Amino acid sequence: MEEPFVKLFAGRLLPQHVARHLLRALEEGERFGADGRPEVPGRYRIELNADDLTALRRHHPNLDEQLTLALVKVVERMDLRTHQSPAVQLEISEDLPPRGVRIMPADRVAPIPNGTQDLDLAQIMQAHTETGNGSRIQAYLIIKGDRTFDLTQSQVTLGRALDNDVILEDRQVSRYHARLRHRYSRYILEDLGSTSGTTVNGFRVQEIVLRPGDLISLSGVDIIYVETEPLERAERGETQPFKPIKG
């Protein structure tokens, strides 16, 4: 179904691509205030290749405003606190190649205009968010079927090196193989440039939002991602302290 559209827009920078970069910048800029509430920069300057920006504005003349209003929606839905009122400004960069995108927090960005059409980014956000207050989910990993690791941190690294959070003593596993990041009520799995790659349910992935029951494989080391209530598991005596796995 998607193939004709992929061919039609092959090689072009689309608004969806810019929105994904903006979402990543929002995630990477997240910090927690003294009261524990997440904070993010509110204003962003997005630099693009001159030809890309010209083409985008030809078909989407109000893209700055549309991205700004989408950003407002995300901030409100995730109950994020911003340093300034949300706003996005697109600019040309002479040193960026075609399809290149550079996003930086900005102190001075034009305010939100009135009377602009909204850009629907629901599909882009669906994989990264869930409706609600953005509270942390309860999840854990089952490693090789006989060990569990409760996910209580915002970031968890997996690999052969001893300074990983989850140590996998298997020679096929890279020293720093993969990373789990907690973002907007979901866990995102990211391959860290491993030698043999990372698969989820048999498909090789670079970055993916995990769903309950997903089977992760790091060079043959199988890990199941589970969402549940750790308290219930503790009451049943199922939670075990994590131990390194020897290959």
Side-chain angles (χ1 to χ4, degrees):
M1 291 290 292
E2 296 179 357
E3 184 178 355
F5 295 98
V6 172
K7 290 181 178 180
L8 177 63
F9 295 107
R12 299 185 188 178
L13 183 69
L14 301 177
Q16 292 91 326
H17 299 149
V18 179
R20 289 190 182 100
H21 281 277
L22 179 58
L23 177 62
R24 172 61 66 85
L26 193 73
E27 292 178 351
E28 293 178 348
E30 180 182 323
R31 300 292 184 271
F32 289 90
D35 58 357
R37 183 178 172 186
E39 301 177 345
V40 294
R43 303 189 173 195
Y44 296 88
R45 183 171 68 252
I46 303 179
E47 297 182 355
L48 304 173
N49 173 274
D51 292 339
D52 286 336
L53 184 54
T54 299
L56 281 171
R57 282 197 165 137
R58 183 181 304 122
H59 299 286
H60 306 276
N62 297 322
L63 184 57
D64 307 59
E65 295 89 343
Q66 292 171 330
L67 287 169
T68 293
L69 293 176
L71 178 61
V72 170
K73 271 191 172 183
V74 173
V75 167
E76 291 177 349
R77 184 185 302 176
M78 295 299 101
D79 191 27
L80 300 172
R81 183 164 50 208
T82 59
H83 304 157
Q84 306 93 20
S85 58
V88 175
Q89 182 173 301
L90 297 173
E91 296 181 357
I92 290 175
S93 173
E94 301 295 339
D95 64 338
L96 280 175
R99 294 174 60 86
V101 180
R102 182 187 296 128
I103 300 183
M104 295 170 288
D107 295 330
R108 296 183 179 181
V109 173
I112 304 171
N114 296 319
T116 58
Q117 281 193 323
D118 189 11
L119 176 66
D120 185 6
L121 298 182
Q123 288 185 331
I124 295 175
M125 293 303 302
Q126 181 63 37
H128 297 78
T129 67
E130 66 181 19
T131 303
N133 60 8
S135 59
R136 178 178 295 278
I137 57 174
Q138 307 296 333
Y140 67 100
L141 304 174
I142 301 176
I143 304 169
K144 277 193 170 181
D146 61 0
R147 292 291 185 273
T148 61
F149 182 88
D150 284 318
L151 297 172
T152 58
Q153 304 164 224
S154 296
Q155 181 170 291
V156 173
T157 57
L158 305 92
R160 201 175 71 250
L162 297 179
D163 57 346
N164 283 288
D165 300 298
V166 178
I167 304 169
L168 303 172
E169 295 183 1
D170 188 303
R171 283 177 290 181
Q172 299 302 313
V173 174
S174 295
R175 286 175 52 78
Y176 301 98
H177 198 110
R179 173 172 57 194
L180 283 167
R181 293 180 294 122
H182 183 264
R183 287 292 183 270
Y184 308 133
S185 300
R186 307 303 312 173
Y187 271 102
I188 301 171
L189 175 67
E190 176 187 5
D191 183 84
L192 297 177
S194 63
T195 302
S196 55
T198 298
T199 67
V200 174
N201 301 326
F203 295 93
R204 187 158 180 165
V205 299
Q206 177 59 42
E207 185 177 72
I208 189 171
V209 178
L210 291 175
R211 301 296 179 187
D214 278 348
L215 174 61
I216 304 164
S217 181
L218 308 183
S219 300
V221 175
D222 289 340
I223 301 172
I224 300 175
Y225 173 76
V226 183
E227 292 181 7
T228 186
E229 293 293 336
L231 179 59
E232 295 176 2
R233 294 173 49 240
E235 290 173 347
R236 294 196 299 266
E238 296 178 2
T239 302
Q240 307 174 35
F242 177 74
K243 298 179 181 179
I245 296 175
K246 298 183 178 180

